[in-house]
Amino acid sequence: MKKIIRKIMSVILVISLILSGCGLSSNQQKECPYEEFLVVDVFDSLANFQGIQSGWFAKLVKDKFNMELNIIAPNVAGGGDTLFEIRSAAGNLGDLVIFSGENQILQNMVTAGLIMDMEPYLENKSIMRFETAIQNVNSSITPEGIFAIPTELSSNAPTVPSESKEPTYGPYIRWDLYKEIGYPKIETLEDLLPVLKQMQELEPVTETGEKTYAFAFFKDWDANLMNAAKQPCCFYGYDESGFVLVKADSSDYQSIIDDNSLYIRVLKWYFEANQMGLVDPESPTLNFDGFIEKYEEGQILYSPWPWVAQQYYNTISNKEAGKGFMMADIEDMQIYSYGCSPDGNYKTIVAVGSQCKDPERMVDFIDWLYSPEGIASNNVSSMADTAGPEGLCWEYGEDGPYLTEFGKKALLEGDAEMSEEWGGGRWRDGVSMLNFMPVTKCELDDRGYPYTYSMWDSVSGMENTRLDMDWEEIMQAETTMDYLVENDKLLVSPGCGYTAPPETPEQTAIRKQCRSVIQNYSWKMIFAQTEEEFYTLLKEMQEEAISLGYEEILAMDMVNARAKEQARWETVEKYENKQ
């Protein structure tokens, strides 16, 4: 009788699962508790894709939460401010909100009733292992509650680089072509241009006949300045803070539009590059996807980001043939590195929209995104380079984690065919499009191993291709970060949680006008016909921005930048006193 009852109960369980829309696959070991199927609107300021998430990540989310993700992306829809304001006015940003928590934006969302207090749903959740950081980001919010979860959380010291084997920024070039021209010395940023020109002349077209260029740009990420012009500033230890460039050691603060600023120097550098035929003329009309495609096709010979160039071009087959992007040395560079932040990063927070259909499910989903499984699955194609689902892409062995044969093909070769069990299609088409990092790249999982698979011993042992070995021989280092640290070419900005005081509506309006001027003129200056036109446009940009109130906003940004730098070193002192 007991056997019969068990069989009947098993049949009932299977039927109930089918009716509820939740399945039990090898990637979903326990029953999905959600009966109603939901389409979840995700307002995501970091996403470079808009629409319904598809493929294997969609299957994973469907199996676990009986829902699908409809990503609403300001980057794709034509500007974060406009779309944010439209949806704010309608009182509904989305069910899940991934957006900035800085400059009073978080408080404004709370005050406007756009996001909800998650505290009633967070009891006993795994994410509360970060309780101190979560409480800190919400400590200044009125009314009291937990309205936001910070990103890029870490248990490491603020002075520890948050990156893995590669920095966030760096002069990455087609090393195979650099080798062919004899590894010429590059003393300054300007010296890189003739090197890139020689490389272009060596390979003027791709295998498919497309013309090659050193540089390609896109406008999706432009904000207070032209994003592409900010990146080389990071080669010299500077990052942006509003209209200010701040050095990582807090030793220098520059107005971005000053004649002698590093930002203007980079714009002039790009102008010279364009005069030499090194800038892709399609740049003004490119979006992020088009930008990526050019790397996949081998059209671009330089990148300021290893997580773009290496991810989309450095397949195992290319590397074994000696082809790929590696960091070149600029003799006077000192690359900016983001230190780990015990309080996380307030530039991006995760919240639940006030009009959410099922708040408990949304909080459960956020909790999963910050779990070891969620971190590994969500950050495959971001800067974090995690290894995807355990059991599919990787396993734990006696000596730690290692990639499966499928994992090697999907992650190292760049793509693979998916089984129907995992939603079918191609691996690359199914990666998560959320594009945010719950924890830092160097963070360890619950077993003490890095989430970033490139840091695994098992993967490091595979990096013996012609490309890797040649770079290591020339640079006399095993990894890029090793080289930078050993040669004092890395400048770490301590991580901290800091929120600038709120802007008035008038200040926000002035900033928007000024940044529009700076963006537009920056692009025009790069594509100017003559040097005289370049400097004429520079003067016009300065005069127009100043006439709109730039100096008022700059003064505010300077105060906030200095306050943030002070907070960084206070965080270091606080952390060290705890040890």
Side-chain angles (χ1 to χ4, degrees):
M1 180 62 68
K2 289 180 180 178
K3 290 181 180 179
I4 293 172
I5 291 173
R6 281 199 296 269
K7 288 182 179 179
I8 292 172
M9 293 303 294
S10 297
V11 171
I12 291 172
L13 175 61
V14 170
I15 292 172
S16 67
L17 289 171
I18 293 172
L19 292 176
S20 70
C22 297
L24 288 176
S25 62
S26 62
N27 60 324
Q28 166 68 24
Q29 297 300 319
K30 64 180 181 178
E31 179 182 351
C32 171
Y34 308 104
E35 294 185 2
E36 181 187 0
F37 173 73
L38 289 181
V39 177
V40 175
D41 288 340
V42 184
F43 186 86
D44 189 347
S45 63
L46 298 181
N48 297 300
F49 163 87
Q50 182 155 284
I52 300 294
Q53 170 74 49
S54 63
W56 64 265
F57 188 75
K59 179 67 164 53
L60 192 57
V61 172
K62 175 67 164 56
D63 283 352
K64 286 187 169 294
F65 300 97
N66 195 22
M67 66 187 196
E68 67 180 10
L69 307 176
N70 176 40
I71 299 173
I72 301 163
N75 285 342
V76 178
D81 290 339
T82 303
L83 188 59
F84 179 78
E85 289 165 3
I86 290 171
R87 296 188 68 87
S88 296
N92 185 5
L93 286 176
D95 301 299
L96 187 68
V97 178
I98 301 173
F99 202 68
S100 173
E102 292 189 310
N103 299 325
Q104 193 67 7
I105 296 174
L106 176 56
Q107 178 65 70
N108 291 344
M109 288 192 290
V110 173
T111 302
L114 295 170
I115 57 178
M116 61 169 288
D117 181 6
M118 293 180 276
E119 190 165 12
Y121 305 98
L122 285 169
E123 187 177 357
N124 299 322
K125 296 296 184 188
S126 171
I127 199 171
M128 294 310 289
R129 68 191 187 277
F130 300 116
E131 183 174 4
T132 300
I134 292 171
Q135 294 293 353
N136 286 345
V137 75
N138 290 277
S139 62
S140 61
I141 301 302
T142 304
E144 292 184 0
I146 297 178
F147 293 90
I149 308 293
T151 57
E152 298 181 51
L153 291 159
S154 178
S155 58
N156 291 306
T159 51
V160 171
S162 63
E163 298 93 350
S164 55
K165 290 186 175 183
E166 305 291 338
T168 304
Y169 312 101
Y172 284 75
I173 63 176
R174 276 280 300 280
W175 190 263
D176 49 310
L177 301 178
Y178 183 57
K179 175 183 179 179
E180 285 195 53
I181 61 174
Y183 313 106
K185 183 181 293 186
I186 307 168
E187 294 184 358
T188 67
L189 186 66
E190 286 73 19
D191 293 333
L192 183 57
L193 292 184
V195 171
L196 291 169
K197 186 61 181 178
Q198 291 180 66
M199 291 165 56
Q200 183 192 44
E201 291 170 347
L202 193 63
E203 190 169 299
V205 295
T206 66
E207 293 178 359
T208 58
E210 297 291 336
K211 189 172 181 180
T212 62
Y213 298 94
F215 306 97
F217 312 131
F218 61 96
K219 294 183 177 180
D220 298 6
W221 297 353
D222 289 359
N224 287 305
L225 37 64
M226 179 184 178
N227 182 270
K230 192 285 290 271
Q231 308 310 318
C233 298
C234 300
F235 300 173
Y236 290 93
Y238 289 81
D239 195 19
E240 62 179 307
S241 182
F243 292 142
V244 180
L245 284 177
V246 184
K247 198 162 188 180
D249 61 3
S250 309
S251 64
D252 190 31
Y253 301 79
Q254 300 180 359
S255 164
I256 59 174
I257 66 170
D258 279 0
D259 287 346
N260 298 320
S261 76
L262 190 53
Y263 180 75
I264 300 303
R265 175 183 171 187
V266 173
L267 289 179
K268 183 69 186 317
W269 185 61
Y270 284 147
F271 162 77
E272 298 288 354
N274 188 52
Q275 296 292 302
M276 297 167 67
L278 292 173
V279 177
D280 189 333
E282 294 182 1
S283 292
T285 59
L286 279 181
N287 60 16
F288 181 75
D289 287 342
F291 175 76
I292 291 300
E293 286 173 6
K294 289 182 178 287
Y295 281 96
E296 291 178 322
E297 295 167 3
Q299 284 185 259
I300 310 300
L301 309 179
Y302 155 94
S303 174
W305 300 306
W307 45 273
V308 167
Q310 293 187 335
Q311 179 175 336
Y312 293 101
Y313 189 81
N314 286 20
T315 62
I316 285 293
S317 55
N318 273 344
K319 291 175 68 177
E320 287 179 343
K323 297 168 61 177
F325 285 85
M326 301 296 281
M327 190 199 75
D329 179 44
I330 298 177
E331 291 194 0
D332 66 347
M333 73 182 184
Q334 199 167 27
I335 291 176
Y336 190 102
S337 170
Y338 296 101
C340 293
S341 176
D343 284 338
N345 184 353
Y346 296 178
K347 282 186 177 180
T348 306
I349 54 90
V350 183
V352 175
S354 59
Q355 304 302 310
C356 175
K357 308 176 188 72
D358 190 340
E360 185 174 2
R361 196 184 317 192
M362 281 302 90
V363 174
D364 284 348
F365 180 57
I366 292 172
D367 186 52
W368 177 76
L369 287 172
Y370 282 76
S371 72
E373 181 186 32
I375 293 166
S377 300
N378 176 56
N379 288 110
V380 171
S381 65
S382 73
M383 290 182 287
D385 292 329
T386 57
E390 182 182 0
L392 174 68
C393 297
W394 62 281
E395 299 276 7
Y396 276 111
E398 292 182 2
D399 299 319
Y402 65 92
L403 296 178
T404 63
E405 289 305 311
F406 176 87
K408 292 175 186 177
K409 187 171 181 60
L411 299 170
L412 302 183
E413 277 297 326
D415 206 3
E417 190 76 30
M418 302 301 298
S419 67
E420 288 304 316
E421 179 186 8
W422 283 91
R426 305 292 301 179
W427 164 263
R428 183 178 293 182
D429 295 334
V431 299
S432 170
M433 297 297 177
L434 296 176
N435 197 33
F436 84 99
M437 293 170 58
V439 299
T440 56
K441 296 179 72 170
C442 63
E443 203 64 17
L444 306 181
D445 66 15
D446 51 347
R447 297 198 192 184
Y449 295 100
Y451 284 108
T452 302
Y453 68 84
S454 64
M455 298 177 71
W456 296 349
D457 290 342
S458 59
V459 174
S460 296
M462 298 167 59
E463 293 179 347
N464 55 359
T465 65
R466 284 174 57 190
L467 179 67
D468 294 309
M469 291 190 292
D470 186 73
W471 184 88
E472 291 173 17
E473 181 181 351
I474 296 299
M475 302 296 281
Q476 291 295 292
E478 292 187 5
T479 71
T480 308
M481 289 297 278
D482 287 343
Y483 176 82
L484 294 172
V485 171
E486 290 168 6
N487 291 275
D488 193 27
K489 293 199 171 190
L490 193 74
L491 206 56
V492 179
S493 177
C496 75
Y498 171 84
T499 302
E503 295 180 355
T504 66
E506 293 77 14
Q507 289 170 330
T508 299
I510 294 171
R511 182 184 297 279
K512 288 179 181 177
Q513 290 178 308
C514 292
R515 64 196 263 179
S516 178
V517 168
I518 294 168
Q519 289 175 23
N520 292 336
Y521 273 97
S522 295
W523 281 85
K524 289 178 181 178
M525 288 161 67
I526 291 172
F527 291 96
Q529 296 299 307
T530 64
E531 186 171 338
E532 181 182 3
E533 183 186 355
F534 176 91
Y535 285 111
T536 298
L537 290 168
L538 170 60
K539 185 177 181 181
E540 289 176 3
M541 177 180 73
Q542 293 167 333
E543 291 176 348
E544 191 169 335
I546 290 171
S547 72
L548 292 169
Y550 173 85
E551 291 179 324
E552 175 191 341
I553 306 304
L554 173 67
M556 178 179 66
D557 285 348
M558 280 287 185
V559 170
N560 293 340
R562 292 179 186 278
K564 185 172 185 177
E565 291 305 294
Q566 181 179 347
R568 291 187 189 281
W569 300 108
E570 288 174 353
T571 301
V572 172
E573 183 178 0
K574 182 179 177 181
Y575 184 91
E576 290 175 347
N577 289 338
K578 282 184 177 180
Q579 303 308 303

